[in-house]
Amino acid sequence: AKTPNFVANPIDSDYPEIIHLSVPVPNFVSNKNNMQKAKIILLDRIKLLEASGSTINCIACNTAHLLLPELQANTKVPFLSIPLIVASIISLNKFKRVGLLATPSTLASNLYDNAIEKNVALVKPDIKLEDKLEQLILKQLRGKISELDRNNFKDIVQNFSKSNKLDAVILGCTELPVIYGPNNDSRIIDSLALLSDALLEEYFKQS
């Protein structure tokens, strides 16, 4: 997919300072009952980001964007939104029929429905495929993904796209691009790569 253009100056001192918080939270990928506990933890951690002098924040997890409105309300530092970034790329590429592969929580939400323009058809997997995706995501989180799993996932993406006559497929869980591997297909929308590009673009705007 087309991504925003930016020019990086290769001088060492011009690279952005990055504060990375790896926050262990209860599993709410498949169990929404853990979301309240996760929210309390994340609300505490955004105070650390603010104290560090952060000027732009992001969450490298699509499902955690369910908590983004409350997190944003508790800090003056703006958060980037993965669904909004993805929506801008869909608009830029003029895709009209797009599939979404993600966690059960993300699929059950309106995160992407609300972000994407109303003239774009958003296609979600059936329950059988949703279960397969959840198992793959959990295997990736546990570091148990095999080469066979990777190949099977690529087949899933291609079959999902073909059977639903899609212009593009959103890998709407940040574990899915990792499972998929290197990708040069403009019809495979890598939410993780787009977030990285958007962060850099925002950094260069502020520089």
Side-chain angles (χ1 to χ4, degrees):
K2 296 176 184 176
T3 56
N5 294 319
F6 56 84
V7 178
N9 188 326
I11 299 173
D12 288 348
S13 61
D14 287 341
Y15 284 104
E17 180 177 1
I18 299 172
I19 299 96
H20 174 215
L21 296 182
S22 180
V23 184
V25 296
N27 173 25
F28 61 93
V29 167
S30 52
N31 185 355
K32 290 185 71 173
N33 292 329
N34 288 326
M35 194 164 290
Q36 182 64 22
K37 294 177 182 177
K39 182 181 75 174
I40 293 170
I41 295 170
L42 293 174
L43 283 171
D44 179 70
R45 297 307 186 273
I46 62 172
K47 296 175 185 176
L48 296 177
L49 290 175
E50 198 165 62
S52 73
S54 173
T55 58
I56 186 72
N57 290 338
C58 73
I59 304 174
C61 171
N62 280 260
T63 305
H65 279 63
L66 293 167
L67 301 171
L68 188 57
E70 290 182 80
L71 297 180
Q72 184 63 81
N74 283 273
T75 179
K76 296 177 181 179
V77 182
F79 274 89
L80 293 180
S81 163
I82 294 177
L84 289 178
I85 294 167
V86 169
S88 70
I89 295 303
I90 291 171
S91 178
L92 182 65
N93 284 275
K94 299 181 180 179
F95 294 139
K96 294 302 180 185
R97 188 170 174 82
V98 179
L100 174 63
L101 300 179
T103 66
S105 295
T106 297
L107 291 169
S109 75
N110 290 319
L111 280 175
Y112 279 91
D113 306 71
N114 293 337
I116 293 171
E117 294 176 353
K118 300 306 178 185
N119 64 335
V120 176
L122 184 64
V123 180
K124 299 181 182 181
D126 59 26
I127 189 65
K128 185 176 179 180
L129 179 51
E130 185 179 315
D131 288 342
K132 287 182 180 178
L133 292 172
E134 182 181 10
Q135 293 309 309
L136 283 169
I137 291 166
L138 292 175
K139 285 184 76 173
Q140 173 61 35
L141 288 169
R142 296 169 184 143
K144 301 293 185 180
I145 285 289
S146 67
E147 195 61 32
L148 178 60
D149 291 324
R150 297 182 192 282
N151 291 333
N152 286 341
F153 179 57
K154 288 180 181 178
D155 289 340
I156 286 173
V157 173
Q158 296 304 321
N159 291 335
F160 179 61
S161 179
K162 185 176 180 180
S163 63
N164 289 286
K165 299 179 180 178
L166 303 175
D167 297 322
V169 176
I170 303 166
L171 302 185
C173 167
T174 42
E175 304 302 328
L176 293 181
V178 180
I179 298 171
Y180 194 91
N183 167 39
N184 294 314
D185 189 341
S186 63
R187 297 166 299 174
I188 308 300
I189 301 176
D190 181 338
S191 60
L192 184 59
L194 291 179
L195 176 61
S196 299
D197 287 348
L199 279 171
L200 284 174
E201 184 178 38
E202 187 63 30
Y203 167 74
F204 288 116
K205 283 181 183 177
Q206 296 178 1
S207 299

